[in-house]
């Protein structure tokens, strides 16, 4: 549950970034060398890396929450 809550904003950010990147790709065409703005391999690798980093960032809090006793968590202030 904790990991899912952490991955939702990551997925939303990736979707917004993908849309913005594809929309602004024509402006970036002059600074890209040997890669088109809509290169599927580059986009897939970028999304994979960002999902991987986001997944690693959420795994620590998710594991810590899984080890916590639910009664202790409910009693704490």
């Amino acid at each position: 549950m904790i990991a899912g809550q952490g991955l939702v904003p990551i997925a939303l950010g990736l979707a917004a970034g993908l849309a913005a990147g594809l929309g602004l790709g024509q402006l970036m065409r002059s600074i890209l060398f040997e890669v088109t703005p809509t290169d599927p391999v580059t986009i897939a690798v970028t999304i994979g890396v960002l999902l991987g980093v986001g997944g690693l960032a959420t795994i620590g809090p998710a594991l810590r929450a899984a080890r916590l006793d639910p009664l202790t968590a409910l009693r704490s202030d």
Side-chain angles (χ1 to χ4, degrees):
M1 186 173 83
I2 301 295
Q5 289 176 349
L7 289 176
V8 168
I10 294 169
L12 292 175
L14 282 173
L18 179 64
L22 291 175
L24 297 172
Q26 297 305 319
L27 295 174
M28 297 179 356
R29 186 178 293 275
S30 64
I31 62 172
L32 297 173
F33 301 103
E34 298 181 16
V35 177
T36 62
T38 57
D39 183 35
V41 174
T42 304
I43 292 172
V45 168
T46 303
I47 288 174
V49 167
L50 290 174
L51 275 175
V53 169
L56 287 174
T58 59
I59 214 140
L63 290 174
R64 190 170 43 240
R67 282 183 286 191
L68 187 64
D69 180 37
L71 289 177
T72 305
L74 290 173
R75 285 187 198 141
S76 68
D77 292 333

